[in-house]
Amino acid sequence: MDIVVFAAVLVAALMHASWNAIVKTGLDRFSAILLMTLAQGGIGLVLIPAFPLPAAQAWPWVVASALLHMGYKLFLIRAYEHGELSQVYPVARGTAPLIVLLVGAAFLGEALGAAQTLAVLAIALGIMLMALRRQRIDRMPAKALGFALGTACFTAAYTLVDGIGARLAGTASGYTMWLFAGDAIGITAWALATRGRGAFGRLAPAWRSGVTAGALSLGAYWIVIWAFTLAPLALVAALRETSVLFAMLIGVFVLGERAGPIRWVSGALILAGVVLMRL
């Protein structure tokens, strides 16, 4: 992976961790995700005229990706209803790069070398280790595990779709803006169908946080989609998930949170994967 792409994806991971750390909307999870998605879609719509249209062959991938992003968010919400964030999120995010690694090698001709494969495995294992607590395995409710693994499948699927779609589009930026606009339209339709217009009224007090979250999230994934056009998908997918390590470091050194031995071991594994990937 080129050093510029490598550094850019690490910046994207830091952006992803940052908006998770600084944005506190006070909303329930569905409302928070709805607000952030609307902000992303609004920014995307504003920026669409600044970039070329994606090539015709990329449009089915744009639509598929928007639907997969919706599925990811809805499954993540359900996973949080049945389990704790500290266990659900590492399982959901750590499993996805492994799926991308296998599918990329089997169907996209993106077989990695031994060192790169070990790097992806180290990052994924480090992330999943964060699901352990108090130096033991706490039993994760079956429904939470099922929805977390479902979320991982959606994450892997939209990663693969976006990698292929952005390469076909001929414009990573144009592809990104249309994707976020489509995702926002889909989530809006879902919210209206399941919760009615009242779902939007409660968002107004937190609009500043929503715009902040949406801008950082869009910027982070914009970088990632650009990187998909220049590097193997599994490497980008794994490096993107180092946001978990950044989130831990922000929590410890900025927010004053405590980190037990397991979290430090997890962080060391993720860092080792990053170093190995660069080497």
Side-chain angles (χ1 to χ4, degrees), residues 239-257:
L239 196 58
R240 176 194 179 204
E241 302 304 347
T242 58
S243 61
V244 174
L245 174 59
F246 285 119
M248 185 192 85
L249 295 176
I250 290 171
V252 172
F253 294 108
V254 178
L255 303 180
E257 297 176 355

Side-chain angles (χ1 to χ4, degrees), residues 181-200:
D183 181 26
I185 291 170
I187 287 291
T188 298
W190 181 273
L192 285 171
T194 59
R195 303 199 176 195
R197 294 182 180 179
F200 300 90

Side-chain angles (χ1 to χ4, degrees), residues 121-175:
L121 293 176
I123 292 171
L125 179 60
I127 294 168
M128 287 188 286
L129 272 179
M130 289 193 177
L132 303 183
R133 296 178 300 179
R134 295 187 294 276
Q135 300 177 317
R136 62 184 178 87
I137 300 176
D138 284 357
R139 183 177 178 181
M140 192 173 179
K143 285 187 176 180
L145 179 60
F147 279 111
L149 292 175
T151 302
C153 290
F154 274 106
T155 303
Y158 76 63
T159 296
L160 292 162
V161 166
D162 288 337
I164 297 169
R167 293 171 183 178
L168 291 174
T171 166
S173 297
Y175 180 95

Side-chain angles (χ1 to χ4, degrees), residues 203-248:
L203 305 182
W207 73 268
R208 289 183 178 85
S209 295
V211 171
T212 301
L216 284 170
S217 179
L218 183 148
Y221 199 55
W222 187 355
I223 293 170
V224 168
I225 289 180
W226 166 76
F228 285 156
T229 66
L230 299 170
L233 301 185
L235 294 184
V236 177
L239 196 58
R240 176 194 179 204
E241 302 304 347
T242 58
S243 61
V244 174
L245 174 59
F246 285 119
M248 185 192 85

Side-chain angles (χ1 to χ4, degrees), residues 3-21:
I3 184 62
V4 174
V5 178
F6 181 84
V9 177
L10 285 179
V11 169
L14 178 58
M15 291 170 65
H16 184 82
S18 297
W19 75 254
N20 277 283

